[in-house]
Amino acid sequence: MKIKNIISALEEMAPLAYAEDFDNVGLLVGDSETESTGVLVCHDALESVIDEAVAKNCNLVVCFHPILFSGIKKITGKNYVERAILKAIKNDIAIYAVHTALDNHLQGVNKIFCDALGLTNTKVLIPKQNFIQKLVTFTVPDNADKVRNAMFEAGAGTIGNYDNCSFNTQGFFTFQGNEDSNPVIGEKGKLHTGEEIKIEVVFEKHLQYRILKALFANHIYEEVAYEIYDLKNAHQNIGLGMIGEFETEMDEKDFLVSVKEKMIADGIRHSAFLGKKIKKVAVLGGSGSFAIKNAIQAGADAFLTADLKYHQFYEAENKLLLADIGHFESERYTKNYIVDYLRKKILNFAIILSEENTNPVKYL
């Protein structure tokens, strides 16, 4: 099996288009045409993980955090990033990162976080903006079903829990082809009028090429009329963070003790207790200080994230319990999810969970 086939499965799990603009996701090192000997899944693709991949005969390392995050001008082995890259290249090991592509997925990092805590009725905390487009096209009634179904098959017409969604209106068309035209209906040089169906579908913008290809392949017109609009609607099923509820509310201290146990955290920093019960909880795996206001606006009783600075604890404004459980800890089950996903998608192939603990933060 080639590495590109494994990448296809990874992109089904976490489409690269879902990633944030600042991120560096996808294949970072290596050739996708190489035959894969095995996959090692880790949190961080450090030098020790590359050593583990060599020992376990895996020439593809799938990591959550991208080892290459910002640009580098030299690879001399002077720091941990360069050493990992050099070792990967020397041993013909490819590195693929998912990061915010999986952060933003409805079943991704924050759903994994919620599931570990036992939260239900979950939904995205910060829905992704500027990600939905609408296509409008026109065809004769006899061709409408074929065009519509082809666009559905290409990914158009999905709204939340519903698919095959479209809006259709009847009208009439007029056209007159010039001498170079070759109309399917009517004759060139003559004005023609007939019945037509207007079809409207929405789609995630990264699917535009695929949907247009399906439209052109299944439309009968010589010149296909269509329009594409960017929509301002937020995508409710893609975005950062998540909010959910416990079936039974609990005291603040009991809540944090439970979080510490379930997320295997060695320590939790938190804002002052407010003397209120915890039932509705917002989470954002990794560095999530930017979402404190979103958690408050969503009515959360508590917000769990990581990498909070001193003054950011004041931003709780006595409206919720704010807790920093540790960056690695908030994402710790992500690599397990990736392994489980790949083992279901790719049978009878070596998909190995890394045994390396790459958490750089230690506690006394």
Side-chain angles (χ1 to χ4, degrees), residues 173 175-177 181-193:
F173 66 84
F175 71 80
Q176 182 173 317
S181 67
N182 184 28
V184 176
I185 300 169
E187 300 177 36
K188 60 184 177 182
K190 293 184 179 181
L191 181 66
H192 187 73
T193 302

Side-chain angles (χ1 to χ4, degrees), residues 129-316:
Q129 304 287 332
N130 303 315
F131 202 72
I132 305 173
Q133 293 183 323
K134 177 193 278 190
L135 182 144
V136 179
T137 191
F138 311 83
T139 190
V140 292
D142 288 346
N143 184 226
D145 283 345
K146 185 178 181 181
V147 166
R148 193 184 299 111
N149 290 334
M151 291 193 295
F152 290 158
E153 188 69 25
T158 297
I159 303 175
N161 294 324
Y162 299 86
D163 54 25
N164 292 1
C165 302
S166 68
F167 187 77
N168 304 268
T169 50
Q170 288 185 314
F172 70 91
F173 66 84
T174 64
F175 71 80
Q176 182 173 317
N178 62 26
E179 287 303 311
D180 295 324
S181 67
N182 184 28
V184 176
I185 300 169
E187 300 177 36
K188 60 184 177 182
K190 293 184 179 181
L191 181 66
H192 187 73
T193 302
E195 186 180 355
E196 199 167 50
I197 304 293
K198 177 182 180 181
I199 304 170
E200 301 178 55
V201 291
V202 296
F203 57 92
E204 296 174 6
K205 66 180 183 180
H206 65 285
L207 300 174
Q208 183 187 121
Y209 173 78
R210 195 162 78 188
I211 291 165
L212 286 177
K213 185 178 179 181
L215 170 64
F216 296 149
N218 290 277
H219 206 295
I220 65 168
Y221 288 178
E222 180 186 20
E223 297 288 350
V224 180
Y226 70 95
E227 302 158 5
I228 292 178
Y229 302 94
D230 291 323
L231 301 184
K232 297 297 183 182
N233 309 48
H235 198 309
Q236 299 300 318
N237 287 332
I238 301 175
L240 292 169
M242 193 157 278
I243 188 163
E245 298 177 334
F246 289 119
E247 290 186 9
T248 305
E249 62 186 19
M250 63 179 79
D251 292 330
E252 293 163 305
K253 185 174 181 180
D254 292 339
F255 164 68
L256 290 181
V257 169
S258 174
V259 171
K260 185 176 180 181
E261 177 184 327
K262 290 177 178 177
M263 303 307 293
I264 318 177
D266 289 322
I268 295 179
R269 299 186 302 141
H270 62 88
S271 60
F273 287 151
L274 302 175
K276 62 186 292 186
K277 298 291 185 181
I278 304 297
K279 183 173 177 64
K280 196 172 185 180
V281 179
V283 306
L284 200 154
S287 302
S289 60
F290 62 88
I292 295 172
K293 290 182 180 178
N294 300 89
I296 292 171
Q297 290 169 356
D301 301 313
F303 177 42
L304 303 177
T305 188
D307 301 340
L308 296 176
K309 296 179 180 179
Y310 175 87
H311 290 96
Q312 289 169 338
F313 283 96
Y314 288 125
E315 295 179 26

